[in-house]
mmCIF file with all atom_site columns, all heavy atoms in Angstrom:
data_model
loop_
_atom_site.group_PDB
_atom_site.id
_atom_site.type_symbol
_atom_site.label_atom_id
_atom_site.label_alt_id
_atom_site.label_comp_id
_atom_site.label_asym_id
_atom_site.label_entity_id
_atom_site.label_seq_id
_atom_site.pdbx_PDB_ins_code
_atom_site.Cartn_x
_atom_site.Cartn_y
_atom_site.Cartn_z
_atom_site.occupancy
_atom_site.B_iso_or_equiv
_atom_site.pdbx_formal_charge
_atom_site.auth_seq_id
_atom_site.auth_comp_id
_atom_site.auth_asym_id
_atom_site.auth_atom_id
_atom_site.pdbx_PDB_model_num
ATOM 1   N N   . TRP A 1 15  ? -14.623 3.496  8.502  1.00 65.00 ? 301 TRP A N   1
ATOM 2   C CA  . TRP A 1 15  ? -13.734 3.213  9.626  1.00 65.00 ? 301 TRP A CA  1
ATOM 3   C C   . TRP A 1 15  ? -13.528 1.712  9.746  1.00 65.00 ? 301 TRP A C   1
ATOM 4   O O   . TRP A 1 15  ? -14.484 0.930  9.661  1.00 65.00 ? 301 TRP A O   1
ATOM 5   C CB  . TRP A 1 15  ? -14.341 3.730  10.933 1.00 65.00 ? 301 TRP A CB  1
ATOM 6   C CG  . TRP A 1 15  ? -14.132 5.192  11.146 1.00 65.00 ? 301 TRP A CG  1
ATOM 7   C CD1 . TRP A 1 15  ? -14.891 6.208  10.643 1.00 65.00 ? 301 TRP A CD1 1
ATOM 8   C CD2 . TRP A 1 15  ? -13.101 5.800  11.913 1.00 65.00 ? 301 TRP A CD2 1
ATOM 9   N NE1 . TRP A 1 15  ? -14.391 7.418  11.046 1.00 65.00 ? 301 TRP A NE1 1
ATOM 10  C CE2 . TRP A 1 15  ? -13.294 7.192  11.840 1.00 65.00 ? 301 TRP A CE2 1
ATOM 11  C CE3 . TRP A 1 15  ? -12.038 5.299  12.656 1.00 65.00 ? 301 TRP A CE3 1
ATOM 12  C CZ2 . TRP A 1 15  ? -12.456 8.095  12.481 1.00 65.00 ? 301 TRP A CZ2 1
ATOM 13  C CZ3 . TRP A 1 15  ? -11.208 6.198  13.296 1.00 65.00 ? 301 TRP A CZ3 1
ATOM 14  C CH2 . TRP A 1 15  ? -11.417 7.580  13.200 1.00 65.00 ? 301 TRP A CH2 1
ATOM 15  N N   . GLU A 1 17  ? -11.862 -0.369 12.688 1.00 74.00 ? 303 GLU A N   1
ATOM 16  C CA  . GLU A 1 17  ? -11.289 -0.266 14.034 1.00 74.00 ? 303 GLU A CA  1
ATOM 17  C C   . GLU A 1 17  ? -10.780 1.148  14.310 1.00 74.00 ? 303 GLU A C   1
ATOM 18  O O   . GLU A 1 17  ? -11.559 2.063  14.387 1.00 74.00 ? 303 GLU A O   1
ATOM 19  C CB  . GLU A 1 17  ? -10.185 -1.304 14.249 1.00 74.00 ? 303 GLU A CB  1
ATOM 20  C CG  . GLU A 1 17  ? -10.687 -2.730 14.321 1.00 74.00 ? 303 GLU A CG  1
ATOM 21  C CD  . GLU A 1 17  ? -11.514 -3.053 15.544 1.00 74.00 ? 303 GLU A CD  1
ATOM 22  O OE1 . GLU A 1 17  ? -11.217 -2.528 16.632 1.00 74.00 ? 303 GLU A OE1 1
ATOM 23  O OE2 . GLU A 1 17  ? -12.465 -3.832 15.422 1.00 74.00 ? 303 GLU A OE2 1
ATOM 24  N N   . HIS A 1 18  ? -9.465  1.330  14.373 1.00 79.00 ? 304 HIS A N   1
ATOM 25  C CA  . HIS A 1 18  ? -8.865  2.626  14.722 1.00 79.00 ? 304 HIS A CA  1
ATOM 26  C C   . HIS A 1 18  ? -8.492  3.464  13.501 1.00 79.00 ? 304 HIS A C   1
ATOM 27  O O   . HIS A 1 18  ? -7.860  4.504  13.640 1.00 79.00 ? 304 HIS A O   1
ATOM 28  C CB  . HIS A 1 18  ? -7.597  2.407  15.555 1.00 79.00 ? 304 HIS A CB  1
ATOM 29  C CG  . HIS A 1 18  ? -7.797  1.506  16.719 1.00 79.00 ? 304 HIS A CG  1
ATOM 30  N ND1 . HIS A 1 18  ? -8.500  1.882  17.842 1.00 79.00 ? 304 HIS A ND1 1
ATOM 31  C CD2 . HIS A 1 18  ? -7.406  0.222  16.930 1.00 79.00 ? 304 HIS A CD2 1
ATOM 32  C CE1 . HIS A 1 18  ? -8.525  0.871  18.694 1.00 79.00 ? 304 HIS A CE1 1
ATOM 33  N NE2 . HIS A 1 18  ? -7.864  -0.137 18.171 1.00 79.00 ? 304 HIS A NE2 1
ATOM 34  N N   . TYR A 1 19  ? -8.859  2.987  12.312 1.00 85.00 ? 305 TYR A N   1
ATOM 35  C CA  . TYR A 1 19  ? -8.383  3.604  11.082 1.00 85.00 ? 305 TYR A CA  1
ATOM 36  C C   . TYR A 1 19  ? -9.546  4.056  10.207 1.00 85.00 ? 305 TYR A C   1
ATOM 37  O O   . TYR A 1 19  ? -10.508 3.333  10.014 1.00 85.00 ? 305 TYR A O   1
ATOM 38  C CB  . TYR A 1 19  ? -7.489  2.615  10.319 1.00 85.00 ? 305 TYR A CB  1
ATOM 39  C CG  . TYR A 1 19  ? -6.457  2.008  11.223 1.00 85.00 ? 305 TYR A CG  1
ATOM 40  C CD1 . TYR A 1 19  ? -6.580  0.701  11.692 1.00 85.00 ? 305 TYR A CD1 1
ATOM 41  C CD2 . TYR A 1 19  ? -5.384  2.768  11.662 1.00 85.00 ? 305 TYR A CD2 1
ATOM 42  C CE1 . TYR A 1 19  ? -5.651  0.167  12.555 1.00 85.00 ? 305 TYR A CE1 1
ATOM 43  C CE2 . TYR A 1 19  ? -4.450  2.238  12.530 1.00 85.00 ? 305 TYR A CE2 1
ATOM 44  C CZ  . TYR A 1 19  ? -4.591  0.937  12.977 1.00 85.00 ? 305 TYR A CZ  1
ATOM 45  O OH  . TYR A 1 19  ? -3.671  0.416  13.853 1.00 85.00 ? 305 TYR A OH  1
ATOM 46  N N   . SER A 1 20  ? -9.396  5.249  9.672  1.00 83.00 ? 306 SER A N   1
ATOM 47  C CA  . SER A 1 20  ? -10.397 5.825  8.785  1.00 83.00 ? 306 SER A CA  1
ATOM 48  C C   . SER A 1 20  ? -9.789  5.985  7.398  1.00 83.00 ? 306 SER A C   1
ATOM 49  O O   . SER A 1 20  ? -8.575  6.201  7.266  1.00 83.00 ? 306 SER A O   1
ATOM 50  C CB  . SER A 1 20  ? -10.825 7.200  9.315  1.00 83.00 ? 306 SER A CB  1
ATOM 51  O OG  . SER A 1 20  ? -11.505 7.925  8.323  1.00 83.00 ? 306 SER A OG  1
ATOM 52  N N   . HIS A 1 23  ? -7.686  9.057  7.130  1.00 93.00 ? 309 HIS A N   1
ATOM 53  C CA  . HIS A 1 23  ? -6.404  9.172  7.831  1.00 93.00 ? 309 HIS A CA  1
ATOM 54  C C   . HIS A 1 23  ? -5.233  9.034  6.862  1.00 93.00 ? 309 HIS A C   1
ATOM 55  O O   . HIS A 1 23  ? -5.266  8.221  5.944  1.00 93.00 ? 309 HIS A O   1
ATOM 56  C CB  . HIS A 1 23  ? -6.245  8.068  8.883  1.00 93.00 ? 309 HIS A CB  1
ATOM 57  C CG  . HIS A 1 23  ? -7.049  8.276  10.107 1.00 93.00 ? 309 HIS A CG  1
ATOM 58  N ND1 . HIS A 1 23  ? -7.587  7.220  10.811 1.00 93.00 ? 309 HIS A ND1 1
ATOM 59  C CD2 . HIS A 1 23  ? -7.422  9.393  10.772 1.00 93.00 ? 309 HIS A CD2 1
ATOM 60  C CE1 . HIS A 1 23  ? -8.245  7.682  11.859 1.00 93.00 ? 309 HIS A CE1 1
ATOM 61  N NE2 . HIS A 1 23  ? -8.160  9.011  11.850 1.00 93.00 ? 309 HIS A NE2 1
ATOM 62  N N   . LYS A 1 24  ? -4.196  9.797  7.125  1.00 96.00 ? 310 LYS A N   1
ATOM 63  C CA  . LYS A 1 24  ? -2.913  9.573  6.470  1.00 96.00 ? 310 LYS A CA  1
ATOM 64  C C   . LYS A 1 24  ? -2.203  8.542  7.343  1.00 96.00 ? 310 LYS A C   1
ATOM 65  O O   . LYS A 1 24  ? -1.913  8.806  8.507  1.00 96.00 ? 310 LYS A O   1
ATOM 66  C CB  . LYS A 1 24  ? -2.121  10.869 6.383  1.00 96.00 ? 310 LYS A CB  1
ATOM 67  C CG  . LYS A 1 24  ? -2.758  11.873 5.459  1.00 96.00 ? 310 LYS A CG  1
ATOM 68  C CD  . LYS A 1 24  ? -1.988  13.168 5.478  1.00 96.00 ? 310 LYS A CD  1
ATOM 69  C CE  . LYS A 1 24  ? -2.798  14.214 4.738  1.00 96.00 ? 310 LYS A CE  1
ATOM 70  N NZ  . LYS A 1 24  ? -2.647  15.532 5.321  1.00 96.00 ? 310 LYS A NZ  1
ATOM 71  N N   . ILE A 1 25  ? -1.948  7.366  6.767  1.00 96.00 ? 311 ILE A N   1
ATOM 72  C CA  . ILE A 1 25  ? -1.456  6.227  7.542  1.00 96.00 ? 311 ILE A CA  1
ATOM 73  C C   . ILE A 1 25  ? -0.064  5.819  7.060  1.00 96.00 ? 311 ILE A C   1
ATOM 74  O O   . ILE A 1 25  ? 0.153   5.623  5.865  1.00 96.00 ? 311 ILE A O   1
ATOM 75  C CB  . ILE A 1 25  ? -2.421  5.033  7.429  1.00 96.00 ? 311 ILE A CB  1
ATOM 76  C CG1 . ILE A 1 25  ? -3.817  5.422  7.921  1.00 96.00 ? 311 ILE A CG1 1
ATOM 77  C CG2 . ILE A 1 25  ? -1.881  3.825  8.183  1.00 96.00 ? 311 ILE A CG2 1
ATOM 78  C CD1 . ILE A 1 25  ? -4.893  4.380  7.650  1.00 96.00 ? 311 ILE A CD1 1
ATOM 79  N N   . LEU A 1 26  ? 0.849   5.664  8.017  1.00 98.00 ? 312 LEU A N   1
ATOM 80  C CA  . LEU A 1 26  ? 2.182   5.133  7.747  1.00 98.00 ? 312 LEU A CA  1
ATOM 81  C C   . LEU A 1 26  ? 2.286   3.781  8.431  1.00 98.00 ? 312 LEU A C   1
ATOM 82  O O   . LEU A 1 26  ? 2.120   3.677  9.646  1.00 98.00 ? 312 LEU A O   1
ATOM 83  C CB  . LEU A 1 26  ? 3.266   6.081  8.270  1.00 98.00 ? 312 LEU A CB  1
ATOM 84  C CG  . LEU A 1 26  ? 4.715   5.558  8.203  1.00 98.00 ? 312 LEU A CG  1
ATOM 85  C CD1 . LEU A 1 26  ? 5.132   5.294  6.753  1.00 98.00 ? 312 LEU A CD1 1
ATOM 86  C CD2 . LEU A 1 26  ? 5.665   6.548  8.870  1.00 98.00 ? 312 LEU A CD2 1
ATOM 87  N N   . LEU A 1 27  ? 2.548   2.753  7.641  1.00 97.00 ? 313 LEU A N   1
ATOM 88  C CA  . LEU A 1 27  ? 2.754   1.402  8.159  1.00 97.00 ? 313 LEU A CA  1
ATOM 89  C C   . LEU A 1 27  ? 4.238   1.091  8.045  1.00 97.00 ? 313 LEU A C   1
ATOM 90  O O   . LEU A 1 27  ? 4.804   1.172  6.955  1.00 97.00 ? 313 LEU A O   1
ATOM 91  C CB  . LEU A 1 27  ? 1.943   0.384  7.357  1.00 97.00 ? 313 LEU A CB  1
ATOM 92  C CG  . LEU A 1 27  ? 0.446   0.668  7.241  1.00 97.00 ? 313 LEU A CG  1
ATOM 93  C CD1 . LEU A 1 27  ? -0.213  -0.332 6.301  1.00 97.00 ? 313 LEU A CD1 1
ATOM 94  C CD2 . LEU A 1 27  ? -0.213  0.646  8.602  1.00 97.00 ? 313 LEU A CD2 1
ATOM 95  N N   . ASN A 1 48  ? -3.963  7.066  0.623  1.00 94.00 ? 334 ASN A N   1
ATOM 96  C CA  . ASN A 1 48  ? -3.622  7.740  1.880  1.00 94.00 ? 334 ASN A CA  1
ATOM 97  C C   . ASN A 1 48  ? -2.662  6.913  2.739  1.00 94.00 ? 334 ASN A C   1
ATOM 98  O O   . ASN A 1 48  ? -2.386  7.281  3.868  1.00 94.00 ? 334 ASN A O   1
ATOM 99  C CB  . ASN A 1 48  ? -4.890  8.029  2.679  1.00 94.00 ? 334 ASN A CB  1
ATOM 100 C CG  . ASN A 1 48  ? -5.630  6.745  3.029  1.00 94.00 ? 334 ASN A CG  1
ATOM 101 O OD1 . ASN A 1 48  ? -5.697  5.802  2.231  1.00 94.00 ? 334 ASN A OD1 1
ATOM 102 N ND2 . ASN A 1 48  ? -6.186  6.692  4.217  1.00 94.00 ? 334 ASN A ND2 1
ATOM 103 N N   . ILE A 1 50  ? 1.071   4.882  3.236  1.00 98.00 ? 336 ILE A N   1
ATOM 104 C CA  . ILE A 1 50  ? 2.447   4.570  2.856  1.00 98.00 ? 336 ILE A CA  1
ATOM 105 C C   . ILE A 1 50  ? 2.834   3.339  3.672  1.00 98.00 ? 336 ILE A C   1
ATOM 106 O O   . ILE A 1 50  ? 2.736   3.345  4.902  1.00 98.00 ? 336 ILE A O   1
ATOM 107 C CB  . ILE A 1 50  ? 3.411   5.732  3.138  1.00 98.00 ? 336 ILE A CB  1
ATOM 108 C CG1 . ILE A 1 50  ? 3.022   6.962  2.313  1.00 98.00 ? 336 ILE A CG1 1
ATOM 109 C CG2 . ILE A 1 50  ? 4.856   5.308  2.840  1.00 98.00 ? 336 ILE A CG2 1
ATOM 110 C CD1 . ILE A 1 50  ? 3.898   8.181  2.570  1.00 98.00 ? 336 ILE A CD1 1
ATOM 111 N N   . LEU A 1 100 ? 3.418   14.369 7.628  1.00 97.00 ? 386 LEU A N   1
ATOM 112 C CA  . LEU A 1 100 ? 2.822   14.107 8.941  1.00 97.00 ? 386 LEU A CA  1
ATOM 113 C C   . LEU A 1 100 ? 1.691   13.106 8.762  1.00 97.00 ? 386 LEU A C   1
ATOM 114 O O   . LEU A 1 100 ? 0.983   13.135 7.749  1.00 97.00 ? 386 LEU A O   1
ATOM 115 C CB  . LEU A 1 100 ? 2.296   15.399 9.558  1.00 97.00 ? 386 LEU A CB  1
ATOM 116 C CG  . LEU A 1 100 ? 3.345   16.459 9.874  1.00 97.00 ? 386 LEU A CG  1
ATOM 117 C CD1 . LEU A 1 100 ? 2.686   17.709 10.440 1.00 97.00 ? 386 LEU A CD1 1
ATOM 118 C CD2 . LEU A 1 100 ? 4.390   15.931 10.844 1.00 97.00 ? 386 LEU A CD2 1
ATOM 119 N N   . PHE A 1 101 ? 1.512   12.249 9.769  1.00 97.00 ? 387 PHE A N   1
ATOM 120 C CA  . PHE A 1 101 ? 0.542   11.165 9.665  1.00 97.00 ? 387 PHE A CA  1
ATOM 121 C C   . PHE A 1 101 ? -0.443  11.181 10.831 1.00 97.00 ? 387 PHE A C   1
ATOM 122 O O   . PHE A 1 101 ? -0.092  11.561 11.944 1.00 97.00 ? 387 PHE A O   1
ATOM 123 C CB  . PHE A 1 101 ? 1.278   9.819  9.626  1.00 97.00 ? 387 PHE A CB  1
ATOM 124 C CG  . PHE A 1 101 ? 2.173   9.674  8.441  1.00 97.00 ? 387 PHE A CG  1
ATOM 125 C CD1 . PHE A 1 101 ? 3.504   10.049 8.519  1.00 97.00 ? 387 PHE A CD1 1
ATOM 126 C CD2 . PHE A 1 101 ? 1.696   9.192  7.237  1.00 97.00 ? 387 PHE A CD2 1
ATOM 127 C CE1 . PHE A 1 101 ? 4.341   9.951  7.427  1.00 97.00 ? 387 PHE A CE1 1
ATOM 128 C CE2 . PHE A 1 101 ? 2.521   9.080  6.132  1.00 97.00 ? 387 PHE A CE2 1
ATOM 129 C CZ  . PHE A 1 101 ? 3.853   9.459  6.225  1.00 97.00 ? 387 PHE A CZ  1
ATOM 130 N N   . ASP A 1 102 ? -1.656  10.719 10.539 1.00 97.00 ? 388 ASP A N   1
ATOM 131 C CA  . ASP A 1 102 ? -2.682  10.569 11.575 1.00 97.00 ? 388 ASP A CA  1
ATOM 132 C C   . ASP A 1 102 ? -2.474  9.277  12.359 1.00 97.00 ? 388 ASP A C   1
ATOM 133 O O   . ASP A 1 102 ? -2.824  9.199  13.538 1.00 97.00 ? 388 ASP A O   1
ATOM 134 C CB  . ASP A 1 102 ? -4.083  10.562 10.942 1.00 97.00 ? 388 ASP A CB  1
ATOM 135 C CG  . ASP A 1 102 ? -4.358  11.844 10.185 1.00 97.00 ? 388 ASP A CG  1
ATOM 136 O OD1 . ASP A 1 102 ? -4.305  12.916 10.816 1.00 97.00 ? 388 ASP A OD1 1
ATOM 137 O OD2 . ASP A 1 102 ? -4.599  11.770 8.963  1.00 97.00 ? 388 ASP A OD2 1
ATOM 138 N N   . ARG A 1 103 ? -1.952  8.267  11.699 1.00 96.00 ? 389 ARG A N   1
ATOM 139 C CA  . ARG A 1 103 ? -1.673  6.983  12.335 1.00 96.00 ? 389 ARG A CA  1
ATOM 140 C C   . ARG A 1 103 ? -0.335  6.466  11.828 1.00 96.00 ? 389 ARG A C   1
ATOM 141 O O   . ARG A 1 103 ? -0.095  6.425  10.615 1.00 96.00 ? 389 ARG A O   1
ATOM 142 C CB  . ARG A 1 103 ? -2.745  5.932  12.014 1.00 96.00 ? 389 ARG A CB  1
ATOM 143 C CG  . ARG A 1 103 ? -4.160  6.282  12.452 1.00 96.00 ? 389 ARG A CG  1
ATOM 144 C CD  . ARG A 1 103 ? -4.293  6.257  13.961 1.00 96.00 ? 389 ARG A CD  1
ATOM 145 N NE  . ARG A 1 103 ? -5.651  6.470  14.383 1.00 96.00 ? 389 ARG A NE  1
ATOM 146 C CZ  . ARG A 1 103 ? -6.201  7.661  14.643 1.00 96.00 ? 389 ARG A CZ  1
ATOM 147 N NH1 . ARG A 1 103 ? -5.485  8.760  14.499 1.00 96.00 ? 389 ARG A NH1 1
ATOM 148 N NH2 . ARG A 1 103 ? -7.447  7.756  15.043 1.00 96.00 ? 389 ARG A NH2 1
ATOM 149 N N   . ILE A 1 104 ? 0.514   6.057  12.757 1.00 97.00 ? 390 ILE A N   1
ATOM 150 C CA  . ILE A 1 104 ? 1.750   5.368  12.408 1.00 97.00 ? 390 ILE A CA  1
ATOM 151 C C   . ILE A 1 104 ? 1.699   4.022  13.117 1.00 97.00 ? 390 ILE A C   1
ATOM 152 O O   . ILE A 1 104 ? 1.553   3.967  14.341 1.00 97.00 ? 390 ILE A O   1
ATOM 153 C CB  . ILE A 1 104 ? 2.997   6.170  12.825 1.00 97.00 ? 390 ILE A CB  1
ATOM 154 C CG1 . ILE A 1 104 ? 2.991   7.551  12.153 1.00 97.00 ? 390 ILE A CG1 1
ATOM 155 C CG2 . ILE A 1 104 ? 4.267   5.402  12.458 1.00 97.00 ? 390 ILE A CG2 1
ATOM 156 C CD1 . ILE A 1 104 ? 4.150   8.447  12.545 1.00 97.00 ? 390 ILE A CD1 1
ATOM 157 N N   . VAL A 1 105 ? 1.799   2.951  12.343 1.00 96.00 ? 391 VAL A N   1
ATOM 158 C CA  . VAL A 1 105 ? 1.539   1.610  12.854 1.00 96.00 ? 391 VAL A CA  1
ATOM 159 C C   . VAL A 1 105 ? 2.759   0.718  12.637 1.00 96.00 ? 391 VAL A C   1
ATOM 160 O O   . VAL A 1 105 ? 3.288   0.639  11.530 1.00 96.00 ? 391 VAL A O   1
ATOM 161 C CB  . VAL A 1 105 ? 0.324   0.983  12.132 1.00 96.00 ? 391 VAL A CB  1
ATOM 162 C CG1 . VAL A 1 105 ? -0.007  -0.383 12.713 1.00 96.00 ? 391 VAL A CG1 1
ATOM 163 C CG2 . VAL A 1 105 ? -0.885  1.915  12.180 1.00 96.00 ? 391 VAL A CG2 1
ATOM 164 N N   . PHE A 1 106 ? 3.162   0.040  13.713 1.00 95.00 ? 392 PHE A N   1
ATOM 165 C CA  . PHE A 1 106 ? 4.249   -0.940 13.640 1.00 95.00 ? 392 PHE A CA  1
ATOM 166 C C   . PHE A 1 106 ? 3.699   -2.223 14.258 1.00 95.00 ? 392 PHE A C   1
ATOM 167 O O   . PHE A 1 106 ? 3.667   -2.382 15.478 1.00 95.00 ? 392 PHE A O   1
ATOM 168 C CB  . PHE A 1 106 ? 5.461   -0.428 14.402 1.00 95.00 ? 392 PHE A CB  1
ATOM 169 C CG  . PHE A 1 106 ? 6.764   -1.146 14.109 1.00 95.00 ? 392 PHE A CG  1
ATOM 170 C CD1 . PHE A 1 106 ? 7.945   -0.614 14.577 1.00 95.00 ? 392 PHE A CD1 1
ATOM 171 C CD2 . PHE A 1 106 ? 6.825   -2.334 13.399 1.00 95.00 ? 392 PHE A CD2 1
ATOM 172 C CE1 . PHE A 1 106 ? 9.165   -1.230 14.341 1.00 95.00 ? 392 PHE A CE1 1
ATOM 173 C CE2 . PHE A 1 106 ? 8.024   -2.969 13.149 1.00 95.00 ? 392 PHE A CE2 1
ATOM 174 C CZ  . PHE A 1 106 ? 9.206   -2.406 13.621 1.00 95.00 ? 392 PHE A CZ  1
ATOM 175 N N   . MET A 1 140 ? 6.629   12.665 13.444 1.00 96.00 ? 426 MET A N   1
ATOM 176 C CA  . MET A 1 140 ? 5.950   12.510 12.160 1.00 96.00 ? 426 MET A CA  1
ATOM 177 C C   . MET A 1 140 ? 4.430   12.482 12.311 1.00 96.00 ? 426 MET A C   1
ATOM 178 O O   . MET A 1 140 ? 3.721   12.160 11.371 1.00 96.00 ? 426 MET A O   1
ATOM 179 C CB  . MET A 1 140 ? 6.449   11.221 11.494 1.00 96.00 ? 426 MET A CB  1
ATOM 180 C CG  . MET A 1 140 ? 7.947   11.226 11.224 1.00 96.00 ? 426 MET A CG  1
ATOM 181 S SD  . MET A 1 140 ? 8.571   9.631  10.656 1.00 96.00 ? 426 MET A SD  1
ATOM 182 C CE  . MET A 1 140 ? 7.907   9.612  8.996  1.00 96.00 ? 426 MET A CE  1
ATOM 183 N N   . LEU A 1 141 ? 3.947   12.828 13.490 1.00 95.00 ? 427 LEU A N   1
ATOM 184 C CA  . LEU A 1 141 ? 2.509   12.791 13.783 1.00 95.00 ? 427 LEU A CA  1
ATOM 185 C C   . LEU A 1 141 ? 1.851   14.152 13.601 1.00 95.00 ? 427 LEU A C   1
ATOM 186 O O   . LEU A 1 141 ? 2.455   15.183 13.914 1.00 95.00 ? 427 LEU A O   1
ATOM 187 C CB  . LEU A 1 141 ? 2.273   12.356 15.231 1.00 95.00 ? 427 LEU A CB  1
ATOM 188 C CG  . LEU A 1 141 ? 2.550   10.917 15.600 1.00 95.00 ? 427 LEU A CG  1
ATOM 189 C CD1 . LEU A 1 141 ? 2.421   10.740 17.102 1.00 95.00 ? 427 LEU A CD1 1
ATOM 190 C CD2 . LEU A 1 141 ? 1.610   9.974  14.864 1.00 95.00 ? 427 LEU A CD2 1
ATOM 191 N N   . THR A 1 142 ? 0.589   14.123 13.161 1.00 95.00 ? 428 THR A N   1
ATOM 192 C CA  . THR A 1 142 ? -0.224  15.328 13.196 1.00 95.00 ? 428 THR A CA  1
ATOM 193 C C   . THR A 1 142 ? -0.538  15.623 14.658 1.00 95.00 ? 428 THR A C   1
ATOM 194 O O   . THR A 1 142 ? -0.275  14.797 15.541 1.00 95.00 ? 428 THR A O   1
ATOM 195 C CB  . THR A 1 142 ? -1.538  15.131 12.424 1.00 95.00 ? 428 THR A CB  1
ATOM 196 O OG1 . THR A 1 142 ? -2.283  14.075 13.039 1.00 95.00 ? 428 THR A OG1 1
ATOM 197 C CG2 . THR A 1 142 ? -1.292  14.816 10.952 1.00 95.00 ? 428 THR A CG2 1
ATOM 198 N N   . GLU A 1 144 ? -3.222  15.483 16.309 1.00 93.00 ? 430 GLU A N   1
ATOM 199 C CA  . GLU A 1 144 ? -4.104  14.471 16.897 1.00 93.00 ? 430 GLU A CA  1
ATOM 200 C C   . GLU A 1 144 ? -3.693  13.052 16.497 1.00 93.00 ? 430 GLU A C   1
ATOM 201 O O   . GLU A 1 144 ? -4.459  12.110 16.677 1.00 93.00 ? 430 GLU A O   1
ATOM 202 C CB  . GLU A 1 144 ? -5.558  14.730 16.470 1.00 93.00 ? 430 GLU A CB  1
ATOM 203 C CG  . GLU A 1 144 ? -6.117  16.053 16.962 1.00 93.00 ? 430 GLU A CG  1
ATOM 204 C CD  . GLU A 1 144 ? -6.141  16.156 18.481 1.00 93.00 ? 430 GLU A CD  1
ATOM 205 O OE1 . GLU A 1 144 ? -6.523  15.173 19.142 1.00 93.00 ? 430 GLU A OE1 1
ATOM 206 O OE2 . GLU A 1 144 ? -5.757  17.223 19.001 1.00 93.00 ? 430 GLU A OE2 1
ATOM 207 N N   . GLY A 1 145 ? -2.501  12.907 15.966 1.00 94.00 ? 431 GLY A N   1
ATOM 208 C CA  . GLY A 1 145 ? -2.044  11.616 15.479 1.00 94.00 ? 431 GLY A CA  1
ATOM 209 C C   . GLY A 1 145 ? -1.790  10.608 16.590 1.00 94.00 ? 431 GLY A C   1
ATOM 210 O O   . GLY A 1 145 ? -1.613  10.972 17.755 1.00 94.00 ? 431 GLY A O   1
ATOM 211 N N   . GLU A 1 146 ? -1.763  9.342  16.204 1.00 95.00 ? 432 GLU A N   1
ATOM 212 C CA  . GLU A 1 146 ? -1.556  8.244  17.149 1.00 95.00 ? 432 GLU A CA  1
ATOM 213 C C   . GLU A 1 146 ? -0.515  7.276  16.613 1.00 95.00 ? 432 GLU A C   1
ATOM 214 O O   . GLU A 1 146 ? -0.441  7.041  15.412 1.00 95.00 ? 432 GLU A O   1
ATOM 215 C CB  . GLU A 1 146 ? -2.860  7.464  17.375 1.00 95.00 ? 432 GLU A CB  1
ATOM 216 C CG  . GLU A 1 146 ? -3.969  8.275  17.979 1.00 95.00 ? 432 GLU A CG  1
ATOM 217 C CD  . GLU A 1 146 ? -5.275  7.481  18.111 1.00 95.00 ? 432 GLU A CD  1
ATOM 218 O OE1 . GLU A 1 146 ? -5.279  6.254  17.833 1.00 95.00 ? 432 GLU A OE1 1
ATOM 219 O OE2 . GLU A 1 146 ? -6.280  8.091  18.492 1.00 95.00 ? 432 GLU A OE2 1
ATOM 220 N N   . ILE A 1 147 ? 0.242   6.709  17.537 1.00 95.00 ? 433 ILE A N   1
ATOM 221 C CA  . ILE A 1 147 ? 1.169   5.626  17.221 1.00 95.00 ? 433 ILE A CA  1
ATOM 222 C C   . ILE A 1 147 ? 0.546   4.333  17.730 1.00 95.00 ? 433 ILE A C   1
ATOM 223 O O   . ILE A 1 147 ? 0.130   4.256  18.883 1.00 95.00 ? 433 ILE A O   1
ATOM 224 C CB  . ILE A 1 147 ? 2.540   5.865  17.884 1.00 95.00 ? 433 ILE A CB  1
ATOM 225 C CG1 . ILE A 1 147 ? 3.234   7.074  17.253 1.00 95.00 ? 433 ILE A CG1 1
ATOM 226 C CG2 . ILE A 1 147 ? 3.421   4.614  17.768 1.00 95.00 ? 433 ILE A CG2 1
ATOM 227 C CD1 . ILE A 1 147 ? 4.530   7.463  17.930 1.00 95.00 ? 433 ILE A CD1 1
ATOM 228 N N   . HIS A 1 148 ? 0.497   3.338  16.866 1.00 94.00 ? 434 HIS A N   1
ATOM 229 C CA  . HIS A 1 148 ? -0.019  2.024  17.255 1.00 94.00 ? 434 HIS A CA  1
ATOM 230 C C   . HIS A 1 148 ? 1.101   1.004  17.092 1.00 94.00 ? 434 HIS A C   1
ATOM 231 O O   . HIS A 1 148 ? 1.741   0.937  16.048 1.00 94.00 ? 434 HIS A O   1
ATOM 232 C CB  . HIS A 1 148 ? -1.200  1.625  16.375 1.00 94.00 ? 434 HIS A CB  1
ATOM 233 C CG  . HIS A 1 148 ? -2.380  2.515  16.535 1.00 94.00 ? 434 HIS A CG  1
ATOM 234 N ND1 . HIS A 1 148 ? -3.572  2.271  15.909 1.00 94.00 ? 434 HIS A ND1 1
ATOM 235 C CD2 . HIS A 1 148 ? -2.571  3.654  17.247 1.00 94.00 ? 434 HIS A CD2 1
ATOM 236 C CE1 . HIS A 1 148 ? -4.453  3.221  16.229 1.00 94.00 ? 434 HIS A CE1 1
ATOM 237 N NE2 . HIS A 1 148 ? -3.847  4.074  17.024 1.00 94.00 ? 434 HIS A NE2 1
#
Side-chain angles (χ1 to χ4, degrees):
W301 279 84
E303 291 292 324
H304 309 288
Y305 311 104
S306 164
H309 285 146
K310 293 176 190 145
I311 302 171
L312 173 62
L313 306 174
N334 61 322
I336 298 178
L386 296 178
F387 298 92
D388 300 301
R389 300 290 185 270
I390 302 177
V391 183
F392 196 169
M426 299 172 73
L427 289 173
T428 61
E430 297 299 317
E432 298 177 6
I433 292 175
H434 295 185

